[in-house]
Amino acid sequence: MNTPNKLTVLRMVLIPFFLFFLLFDLPHHYLYALILFAAASFTDFLDGHIARRDGIVTDFGKFLDPVADKLLVTSALICFIELGFTSSIVVVIIIAREFIVTSLRMVAASSQVIAANIWGKLKTVSQMVAVIAILFMQECVQAGWLPDSFPALTIGHVLMWIAAVLTLFSGLTYLKDNWKYVNTAK
């Protein structure tokens, strides 16, 4: 297994540790969750960078990388519903897009592996930035660095809606660009 694929697997391995710190009310648990989520998110950038730089882009990596992203982000978002940090509607939009795009990739798999486009990458970045910002604000409020009146939840909801809109747009763009696979499926 090459280094980029190992980094992708590492991203998936970090998820349970991230969830532990996110959900259990320990001192500075949002900070620890933030650090783990940020580290896992950075592996997404790093694995792609190394794979392209060294010319070791593999079909396995093209498949596993988006799966690891989806697992990381959807795990955070599902927990965010429980914690009151985001709306279930936002999470449904994001997860629905992932199911649709993944289904399209499965239909197209007999012909070729469809790599992510720039909108898919922007979607992933917007989701990861929103999660990181929300965790940062929650840690700052919980640690007393920001007043309790700071609108962390409102800002977090706005960030998640922005991510949801980008997610929806990227999904529609993906469908438009790859509709030929749906139209020719038998």
Side-chain angles (χ1 to χ4, degrees):
M1 184 178 296
N2 65 32
T3 300
N5 290 343
K6 287 177 184 176
L7 287 168
T8 301
V9 170
L10 174 62
R11 184 159 60 256
M12 294 189 301
V13 168
L14 290 174
I15 294 170
F17 300 100
F18 160 70
L19 294 176
F20 172 81
F21 285 110
L22 178 61
L23 295 174
F24 289 96
D25 192 14
L26 306 167
H28 303 288
H29 67 106
Y30 291 130
L31 176 61
Y32 299 128
L34 166 64
I35 291 167
L36 287 168
F37 188 88
S41 296
F42 183 68
T43 67
D44 183 38
F45 161 77
L46 193 58
D47 66 13
H49 172 74
I50 293 171
R52 286 184 296 278
R53 182 195 69 197
D54 296 347
I56 51 176
V57 175
T58 64
D59 284 345
F60 180 74
K62 288 180 191 176
F63 162 75
L64 193 62
D65 183 70
V67 170
D69 294 343
K70 288 170 186 43
L71 287 172
L72 177 63
V73 172
T74 56
S75 296
L77 297 182
I78 290 168
C79 293
F80 276 16
I81 294 171
E82 181 179 330
L83 295 168
F85 295 166
T86 194
S87 161
S88 58
I89 295 169
V90 166
V91 176
V92 168
I93 290 168
I94 291 170
I95 292 175
R97 183 264 185 210
E98 301 307 342
F99 274 114
I100 291 166
V101 168
T102 299
S103 297
L104 180 56
R105 281 188 170 142
M106 288 175 16
V107 168
S110 62
S111 303
Q112 71 179 58
V113 174
I114 303 174
N117 62 24
I118 187 66
W119 291 107
K121 293 176 191 305
L122 288 173
K123 174 263 318 174
T124 300
V125 168
S126 73
Q127 293 170 357
M128 289 177 174
V129 167
V131 170
I132 289 168
I134 290 167
L135 291 172
F136 180 74
M137 288 185 293
Q138 291 301 320
E139 175 61 26
C140 288
V141 169
Q142 191 177 58
W145 302 329
L146 291 171
D148 289 339
S149 62
F150 183 79
L153 286 177
T154 301
I155 294 169
H157 282 283
V158 169
L159 290 172
M160 288 309 308
W161 274 105
I162 291 168
V165 168
L166 279 171
T167 299
L168 186 60
F169 182 77
S170 77
L172 293 173
T173 302
Y174 197 89
L175 278 173
K176 180 182 86 50
D177 292 347
N178 296 289
W179 190 252
K180 63 186 173 208
Y181 296 111
V182 173
N183 244 357
T184 61
K186 296 186 172 137

